Amino acid sequence: MILTIFLKELKDTLRDRRTIMMMVVIPILIFPLILNVFIGISSSFEKDAANKTITIGVIGEKNGFISNTLSKTPEQLGKCKIKFYADSASLIKDLQIDSIQMGIYSSKTFEASLIEKKPTPIICYFNGTDIGIKSRAEKYISYIEEKALNKRFKELKLEPSKVKPIVPLYVNIASDKEMLGKIAGGILPYIFIAFGFIGCMYPAIDLFTGEKERGTIETLLTTPISRLQILFGKMGVVVLSGLLASSFALIGLFLSIEMMDVIKNEQLLNVVHSIMTIRFILTLFLLLIPLTIFFAGLMIPIAVYAKTFKEAQSIITPLNIVVVLPAMIGFFPGIELNLSTACIPVINVVLSTKELIAGTLNLNYLLISFLVMGFLALISVFISYKQFGKESNILT
Amino acid sequence: MIQVSELRKEFKLNKKQRQELQTKEKTTTAVNHISFKCEPGRVFSLLGPNGAGKTTILRMLATIFAPTKGEITICNLNAKTNAAEIRNKIGFLTGSTGLYSRLTPHELIQYFAALYKVPNNIFNKRAENLYSLLDMHDFKHKRIGKLSTGMKQKVSICRTMIHDPEVVIFDEPTSGLDVITAENIIALIRDCKSQGKTVIFSSHIMSEVDLLCDDIAIIHKGMLLFNDTMDSFRKQMTSKNLTAEFIQIIENS
């Protein structure tokens, strides 16, 4: 009987355009669309920034070391023009109105200090809101510093290698997979949690509040099936919708990676491919199933209680923020899956997924996370059953 | 057969409802001391103004609501202990019954037949008979959402009768329907009676009651004011017509 109800509700749900939009179309299209726009805009910005000729304001001598060095900068640092200023106030003013993009101030004693082989400061002005200008300014300053250093080595007749006794080498022992998991792994659980929630939302409201609103629940309750069977049949569809929405969102993300050249680094792309194993997908669903049941169990009592579609929507939508916000914890580095975090719902799923991607998942913590989510799912099903059984709730 | 004795139904009131009703009571009594009997092959009518408690009684008969007190026996089965078996024997139709608009009539009838565990071969025969009887062949595969009110009501009738119930409960079945559609319902009630089914229907339209019923119960504010045969009601009448008599009983209560 549960299967009969499940199949009927599934058919009914799949014929609802609004649910199909939320369950299939939006999840599968959102990432290709967002990434397409994002990559398009950012690559065009990068291109523009690299090709842009910037004007550097210089306070110092016209034939001095700084202006001479800047006029001979190699093309890979980007083209630049020099404009001389007498004081820093007018330079800053021009920087503010973007008539110049960076400024270099050297004191009047700069040239003399160079000759006397003394250290001398130079000040670099830039506008931090101008994206990419800081790194470009650093490149120019490093170039000037390198030229001054080489000049001094020559004058002192020194080999550069002889004044650098230690050559440090930094070795990262974390694998690329681990790095990807810990740094970017937060996005994956966020996606499936957010879409899992949205995927459950419309069918939950449609199958419970909608049934009340349309006046179909009364006839269903006069059939010989129990309310528990009705609840399970309907809940099955709500859970399946959540799982499908999450899965379609993940499919959308992976299609974007495969087809839109999102990851340019081939090594990184290989790491992404190596993550997508059967074991990974199965473990992900092991966490997703109790999570989606928990979501369904949260929404169904509300949907049963609400008298209209609007009322249900107005209660469930803020719940979205409460549930999905903890999923953002995955974006913060340094928060690890341990005994405490494994006991916190939603957060345990996020951190377990991150660890799963990184390949550092502790099976004990995975089990605890699964048990915690399973327990909460059971409680939420029980609450749904209690609410669905209330006479005051099931009929308007 | 339906037997009801000393039926009482209380509903809990929440804070908002208490404010609306301007009461401090935590419960409200919708139905009290209701007893009656409906015989097979006869049409029993529950008559009362809006809010009298008719729907509450019918929902208790259909085991949607549990009575606070009292006994309901349907087809010799106790409603408290044999709710599922009773639901298997009843058909329930209301004037405001909704249908699944994204399904076709055939899919909907098939779904309800499955819920009532009607075997496939019997379903096919019965569905075919009902489709012919109700002239549903032209629209049985169209989405319900695209059907007219009359067509939808035919689907509802078909849904009510697909498991061939022994007892048929109609809750204001013609409410809000046009004359032609209402006529289908009246024809169905007559058919049920001629087939020896127990029929109970609620209404506040006296002419409808006069046309169809054998036994009558008048209720007001949850209390039973009159319960006898239609013939006896007519004999006791002091007013010029049935509607006036009904109003007089209500006003005198």
Side-chain angles (χ1 to χ4, degrees):
Chain A
M1 274 306 129
I2 294 174
L3 185 69
T4 305
I5 296 168
F6 174 82
L7 292 174
K8 177 261 161 192
E9 298 297 4
L10 186 65
K11 187 187 276 181
D12 204 5
T13 300
L14 292 176
R15 284 179 182 172
D16 180 22
R17 276 186 211 157
R18 191 169 35 186
T19 310
I20 289 294
M21 283 293 285
M22 298 310 292
M23 194 168 81
V24 184
V25 182
I26 293 177
I28 212 158
L29 288 182
I30 193 130
F31 287 104
L33 278 174
I34 289 176
L35 289 174
N36 199 6
V37 172
F38 180 76
I39 292 166
I41 292 172
S42 69
S43 64
S44 102
F45 266 109
E46 272 172 27
K47 236 183 217 174
D48 285 355
N51 294 334
K52 190 179 170 187
T53 302
I54 65 162
T55 308
I56 304 172
V58 175
I59 303 169
E61 287 179 30
K62 284 195 178 170
N63 268 323
F65 180 78
I66 291 175
S67 53
N68 283 338
T69 311
L70 279 176
S71 61
K72 289 171 196 159
T73 49
E75 261 198 26
Q76 63 260 37
L77 292 186
K79 289 175 190 166
C80 68
K81 285 193 296 188
I82 301 166
K83 188 177 177 185
F84 290 96
Y85 286 84
D87 58 276
S88 58
S90 53
L91 180 139
I92 290 169
K93 200 176 164 189
D94 276 4
L95 198 57
Q96 278 167 341
I97 59 167
D98 201 36
S99 98
I100 59 169
Q101 285 70 45
M102 67 178 272
I104 297 173
Y105 171 86
S106 58
S107 68
K108 281 174 187 168
T109 58
F110 179 79
E111 300 293 332
S113 297
L114 272 184
I115 293 162
E116 287 167 26
K117 297 182 182 54
K118 284 181 186 170
T120 178
I122 56 170
I123 300 166
C124 177
Y125 296 96
F126 66 95
N127 184 345
T129 59
D130 196 349
I131 304 295
I133 198 69
K134 192 187 173 209
S135 66
R136 206 156 161 186
E138 282 169 349
K139 281 179 193 166
Y140 286 123
I141 298 296
S142 299
Y143 183 71
I144 294 166
E145 196 185 358
E146 191 193 317
K147 288 287 164 194
L149 200 63
N150 286 339
K151 187 173 174 273
R152 195 163 286 184
F153 281 146
K154 257 185 196 170
E155 286 166 1
L156 292 169
K157 292 179 182 156
L158 280 170
E159 276 287 316
S161 60
K162 285 184 180 161
V163 291
K164 208 173 179 189
I166 294 169
V167 182
L169 281 172
Y170 298 96
V171 180
N172 181 0
I173 57 142
S175 64
D176 289 340
K177 192 178 166 187
E178 215 171 312
M179 290 293 290
L180 183 78
K182 299 276 179 183
I183 295 164
I187 183 106
L188 200 72
Y190 181 77
I191 290 166
F192 67 63
I193 287 174
F195 280 98
F197 192 91
I198 295 168
C200 286
M201 193 169 124
Y202 279 95
I205 299 175
D206 189 50
L207 298 185
F208 290 91
T209 318
E211 186 121 36
K212 261 164 86 174
E213 214 175 7
R214 290 187 294 265
T216 46
I217 189 78
E218 199 173 17
T219 44
L220 192 59
L221 293 174
T222 59
T223 61
I225 44 170
S226 70
R227 284 182 196 183
L228 192 65
Q229 286 175 312
I230 299 173
L231 176 73
F232 279 167
K234 285 172 177 285
M235 197 173 200
V237 175
V238 176
V239 171
L240 182 69
S241 302
L243 285 174
L244 285 176
S246 296
S247 307
F248 283 123
L250 295 178
I251 290 169
L253 178 71
F254 284 107
L255 283 179
S256 311
I257 292 170
E258 292 300 322
M259 295 162 77
M260 290 170 61
D261 206 15
V262 178
I263 302 171
K264 306 223 186 284
N265 184 327
E266 203 168 315
Q267 203 182 338
L268 196 62
L269 196 63
N270 288 336
V271 173
V272 172
H273 289 156
S274 75
I275 290 167
M276 288 299 294
T277 59
I278 300 279
R279 185 177 164 264
F280 173 79
I281 294 165
L282 288 178
T283 319
L284 201 61
F285 273 88
L286 185 78
L287 289 164
L288 258 178
I289 291 169
L291 178 81
T292 320
I293 295 173
F294 172 61
F295 284 163
L298 277 182
M299 290 176 202
I300 289 169
I302 297 169
V304 168
Y305 165 80
K307 285 184 171 56
T308 61
F309 204 98
K310 253 187 177 179
E311 189 187 357
Q313 211 172 6
S314 67
I315 307 173
I316 294 175
T317 306
L319 190 71
N320 186 357
I321 299 162
V322 178
V323 174
V324 176
L325 214 61
M328 292 181 91
I329 203 120
F331 295 127
F332 303 110
I335 301 172
E336 304 270 326
L337 183 70
N338 53 37
L339 190 60
S340 313
T341 49
C343 294
I344 307 170
V346 182
I347 289 175
N348 54 9
V349 176
V350 174
L351 297 176
S352 295
T353 313
K354 267 183 88 172
E355 302 276 351
L356 187 64
I357 295 168
T360 54
L361 182 61
N362 180 322
L363 285 179
N364 291 331
Y365 295 147
L366 174 72
L367 188 68
I368 294 169
S369 305
F370 179 77
L371 289 175
V372 167
M373 289 315 299
F375 179 66
L376 283 171
L378 271 179
I379 291 176
S380 66
V381 171
F382 180 73
I383 295 168
S384 297
Y385 173 65
K386 282 279 165 196
Q387 286 294 312
F388 194 60
K390 273 190 185 172
E391 287 176 356
S392 56
N393 278 342
I394 48 171
L395 292 167
T396 48
Chain B
M1 175 148 79
I2 301 171
Q3 216 163 353
V4 170
S5 69
E6 285 301 306
L7 204 60
R8 180 182 170 92
K9 181 66 187 171
E10 285 174 5
F11 288 108
K12 281 183 186 163
L13 294 174
N14 60 31
K15 205 178 165 187
K16 196 181 163 191
Q17 287 167 325
R18 284 203 293 272
Q19 279 170 351
E20 279 169 4
L21 295 169
Q22 293 178 327
T23 177
K24 284 179 182 172
E25 298 291 324
K26 291 196 171 172
T27 57
T28 181
T29 306
V31 166
N32 204 3
H33 297 299
I34 301 284
S35 301
F36 59 80
K37 199 173 170 184
C38 316
E39 304 277 357
R42 290 179 75 83
V43 178
F44 185 95
S45 172
L46 263 183
L47 195 68
N50 289 335
K54 304 185 293 287
T55 300
T56 304
I57 293 172
L58 297 186
R59 281 176 177 175
M60 283 192 279
L61 295 182
T63 73
I64 300 171
F65 286 167
T68 310
K69 262 184 192 172
E71 289 278 316
I72 297 172
T73 310
I74 296 174
C75 304
N76 297 319
L77 293 165
N78 187 293
K80 230 181 234 174
T81 49
N82 305 90
E85 286 96 322
I86 285 181
R87 287 201 292 268
N88 224 352
K89 291 180 187 293
I90 59 166
F92 190 84
L93 181 76
T94 77
S96 58
T97 299
L99 297 167
Y100 301 104
S101 58
R102 294 190 287 263
L103 297 186
T104 66
H106 185 70
E107 286 169 342
L108 182 118
I109 305 302
Q110 211 168 19
Y111 173 54
F112 275 90
L115 295 181
Y116 284 107
K117 292 180 184 160
V118 178
N120 262 350
N121 54 338
I122 296 176
F123 163 75
N124 290 334
K125 269 187 203 163
R126 218 177 266 166
E128 213 38 54
N129 276 343
L130 285 164
Y131 293 157
S132 300
L133 201 71
L134 296 161
D135 199 14
M136 284 174 62
H137 284 290
D138 288 346
F139 61 86
K140 67 180 179 188
H141 293 302
K142 284 183 182 169
R143 293 269 176 102
I144 291 170
K146 290 179 179 165
L147 303 182
S148 68
T149 313
M151 288 169 173
K152 282 180 188 167
Q153 197 60 21
K154 284 180 179 180
V155 179
S156 283
I157 293 170
C158 195
R159 196 246 335 131
T160 310
M161 304 310 293
I162 193 66
H163 59 294
D164 193 22
E166 284 177 44
V167 174
V168 194
I169 301 169
F170 297 93
D171 185 13
E172 302 202 357
T174 57
S175 159
L177 299 180
D178 62 65
V179 186
I180 299 165
T181 316
E183 198 55 44
N184 285 324
I185 305 286
I186 289 163
L188 171 71
I189 294 172
R190 282 193 178 128
D191 275 356
C192 289
K193 183 187 167 180
S194 65
Q195 285 169 31
K197 295 182 192 296
T198 306
V199 181
I200 179 166
F201 85 98
S202 74
S203 180
H204 57 264
I205 306 163
M206 202 62 209
S207 58
E208 209 171 75
V209 173
D210 186 31
L211 197 72
L212 290 166
C213 75
D214 303 300
D215 303 299
I216 180 173
I218 297 175
I219 57 164
H220 182 48
K221 291 180 181 171
M223 302 290 286
L224 193 64
L225 303 182
F226 180 88
N227 180 20
D228 211 331
T229 62
M230 195 61 201
D231 289 339
S232 136
F233 181 75
R234 283 192 195 97
K235 276 178 200 161
Q236 289 173 29
M237 228 168 79
T238 53
S239 307
K240 56 183 174 180
N241 57 44
L242 291 168
T243 306
E245 182 66 17
F246 168 61
I247 294 169
Q248 195 190 314
I249 292 173
I250 297 294
E251 280 175 355
N252 292 343
S253 69

